[in-house]
Amino acid sequence: MEQHKAKVITSLFWKFFERMGTQGIQFIIQLILARLLLPEDYGVIALITVFISLANVFVQSGFNTALIQQKDVEEEDYSSVFVVSAVVALIIYILLFVSSDAIAAFYKMPNLSSVIKILGLVLFFGAFNSIQIAKVSREFQFKKLFYSSLGANIFSGILGIILAYYKFGVWALVAQQLSNQFFICVILLFIVDWKPHMRCNLSRIKNMFDYGWKLLVSNLIDVLYNNIYSLVIGKFYKSDQLGYYNRADQFPNILVTNVNGSIQSVMLPALSEEQDNLAKVKSMVRRSMVTSSFFVFPAMAGLAACSEPLIELLLTEKWLFCVPIMRMLCLSYAFWPIHTANLQAINAIGRSDVFLKLEIIKKMVGIICLIISLPFGVIVMAFSKVVSSVASTVINAWPNRKLLNYSFLEQIYDIAPSFLISLVMGGAVYLLNEVLMFHIVVNLAIEVIVGGCLYLGLAKIFKLECLEYILNILKKRKN
């Protein structure tokens, strides 16, 4: 038991380093690119990325998670999934290629067509990477993902910046995204002990498909819904509005995916190993949710409070329209720890049928919120995401009342301390931002330091369980 716990914690650290390292580098690269490029350029690439993300669902989702979730996986399973994924990638790419002109005409952006045809090549790299990532996840070798992601971000980022500097516009972003997946593919090929074989056992595929197809549909719905705002804004508003929304989403997204995404990536294989012990699964889900919330809540509160000087400093005044949008999205992202912890538990115990039902219900609620907010502009549309996120929190938690005996009220009780002291900290930082009159860099530094110290101080005063847990882990690792 202790050995398993140590393996999970070590994997969590490496996954967190991978997220922090790669997202940190990518964040810096995106800041540089945002200074060199226009909001319109980001609007175009954000729209194209939606179609690529939807296509990637068919290539990477379902079978990838099935490989991680299964108790026993043979070498033939990896090869079979790779062959199927490669064939699906080819079919989807042909469909994208053929429909690219129609997509460009629908959005009245002629350059969309050629960009889709080039950026669509990432599907083939994704087919390969999904198998490597599944193998690494099953074996808790997250250190290898750290190396591949870090190297790929550095090389692709340098390429993108060079092209942006020489006025290649949207093609700089295309080259950066395409080369990123290519470099990940190459690095994993050398450091992961698996090479593709053109063998396909259809009976093994059928067994995984019985589990994976529900996840594929769920992920398709999820990706479509998560990107529907980009699709709608791109259609009904100018491309610069989509660019503002895309950049506003970047800041909270990078923080949440670094912290919450790291924890949940490790938790799925860890929970899957304990899927027959529901009491243990509940304990692990609770720990995951409390730990994620302890980091995510203050990050979102602090980011919302100091968003205006942050945008002005990092992206310049031309991006200040992002500020109110970012504040709405910070509140929406704050609920992610509850969403993902509950959904990972449902996946780990093999209830992909429940997962699919939840996705359908949540997305219906979200689309209603989107339709109501559409005539009122991008800021109100961002607020509608807050409303749907609160509703989704209740919906995601509800099944685990029976599946794990972990009620929604019990979950609220677990995360309430972090939420309340985050509100206090966020309010203090916002007021501080209103009264400080120093240089913008000095103001931000003071706000970050005061906010961090206040949050940790309150956590210590009120003896938050999660803080003590984290300190004990750090002490053990030090020893």
Side-chain angles (χ1 to χ4, degrees), residues 359-371:
E359 290 304 298
I360 294 173
I361 296 171
K362 288 185 301 181
K363 276 35 180 185
M364 289 175 63
V365 172
I367 290 173
I368 292 172
C369 292
L370 171 61
I371 293 172

Side-chain angles (χ1 to χ4, degrees), residues 1 23 48 51 71 101 113 120 145 185 224 236 324 350 355 372 386 400 406 438 441 472:
M1 183 66 68
Q23 295 281 2
I48 296 168
F51 293 98
K71 289 184 177 180
D101 290 340
S113 178
L145 285 183
C185 186
L224 180 60
F236 292 97
F355 188 99
I372 294 173
V386 179
N400 284 329
Y406 193 21
F438 304 111
V441 176
N472 286 335

Side-chain angles (χ1 to χ4, degrees), residues 150-167:
L150 189 66
N153 272 278
I154 292 172
F155 294 133
S156 63
I158 292 173
L159 176 61
I161 291 171
I162 292 172
L163 292 177
Y165 180 79
Y166 285 103
K167 311 297 182 183

Side-chain angles (χ1 to χ4, degrees), residues 101-251:
D101 290 340
I103 295 171
F106 180 77
Y107 283 97
K108 298 178 181 179
M109 299 180 186
N111 58 340
L112 273 181
S113 178
S114 54
V115 175
I116 288 175
K117 291 172 182 175
I118 300 300
L119 196 55
L121 295 172
V122 300
L123 297 175
F124 299 102
F125 301 134
F128 176 80
N129 293 342
S130 66
I131 312 302
Q132 300 284 51
I133 292 171
K135 185 173 179 61
V136 166
S137 299
R138 282 190 62 87
E139 298 172 359
F140 292 91
Q141 295 179 343
F142 291 93
K143 184 190 297 185
K144 295 181 178 180
L145 285 183
F146 169 76
Y147 292 140
S148 62
S149 298
L150 189 66
N153 272 278
I154 292 172
F155 294 133
S156 63
I158 292 173
L159 176 61
I161 291 171
I162 292 172
L163 292 177
Y165 180 79
Y166 285 103
K167 311 297 182 183
F168 278 84
V170 70
W171 290 104
L173 295 171
V174 173
Q176 189 256 333
Q177 292 195 21
L178 186 59
S179 62
N180 179 268
Q181 292 299 307
F182 170 76
F183 286 125
I184 289 177
C185 186
V186 171
I187 295 171
L188 287 176
L189 185 64
F190 284 100
I191 65 176
V192 176
D193 185 23
W194 181 83
K195 301 296 182 290
H197 300 285
M198 300 305 292
R199 295 197 303 267
C200 184
N201 186 327
L202 293 180
S203 62
R204 303 288 293 184
I205 287 292
K206 184 181 182 303
N207 291 334
M208 283 185 281
F209 184 76
D210 290 339
Y211 171 83
W213 77 266
K214 303 181 191 74
L215 290 182
L216 189 150
V217 175
S218 299
N219 287 331
L220 182 63
I221 294 171
D222 192 52
V223 171
L224 180 60
Y225 173 75
N226 287 337
N227 288 285
I228 197 169
Y229 281 79
S230 295
L231 291 171
V232 172
I233 294 170
K235 176 61 179 176
F236 292 97
Y237 296 91
K238 294 180 180 180
S239 61
D240 63 334
Q241 296 292 300
L242 180 53
Y244 289 129
Y245 182 88
N246 181 262
R247 289 305 88 197
D249 183 71
Q250 177 192 14
F251 290 87

